[in-house]
């Protein structure tokens, strides 16, 4: 649900499970962030917390392009 109570659909960029630890995380890849992205992050964090997952945002400066 968004801040107005409207149900929203969220599809993460990646849902990753480490086979050696069985630990799961949601990864979001962003070049820039909007106010809407920040709201999505909060919802994703709640989802992750309720499932025992981690949440990470990887920004453009995490990547080296050659």
């Amino acid at each position: 649900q968004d801040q107005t109570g409207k149900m929203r659909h969220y599809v993460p960029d990646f849902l990753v499970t480490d086979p050696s630890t069985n630990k799961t995380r949601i990864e979001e890849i962003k070049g820039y962030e909007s106010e809407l992205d920040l709201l999505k992050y909060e919802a994703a964090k709640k989802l992750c917390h309720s499932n025992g997952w981690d949440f990470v945002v990887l920004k453009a400066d995490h990547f080296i392009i050659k």
Side-chain angles (χ1 to χ4, degrees):
Q1 276 184 326
D2 68 12
Q3 67 276 14
T4 66
K6 184 176 179 180
M7 290 300 293
R8 298 289 182 170
H9 183 72
Y10 171 69
V11 178
D13 290 333
F14 296 97
L15 179 64
V16 179
T17 301
D18 182 337
S20 66
T21 63
N22 211 32
K23 186 77 174 162
T24 300
R25 71 180 173 273
I26 286 179
E27 294 183 353
E28 284 293 326
I29 311 298
K30 290 293 173 193
Y32 64 92
E33 293 174 317
S34 68
E35 288 294 318
L36 181 57
D37 290 323
L38 300 177
L39 292 172
K40 288 179 185 179
Y41 298 165
E42 290 306 312
K45 288 176 189 176
K46 288 178 185 176
L47 172 70
C48 288
H49 180 74
S50 69
N51 285 290
W53 301 344
D54 292 327
F55 177 74
V56 65
V57 177
L58 301 170
K59 299 181 183 179
D61 58 354
H62 285 97
F63 303 97
I64 299 172
I65 300 172
K66 294 182 179 183

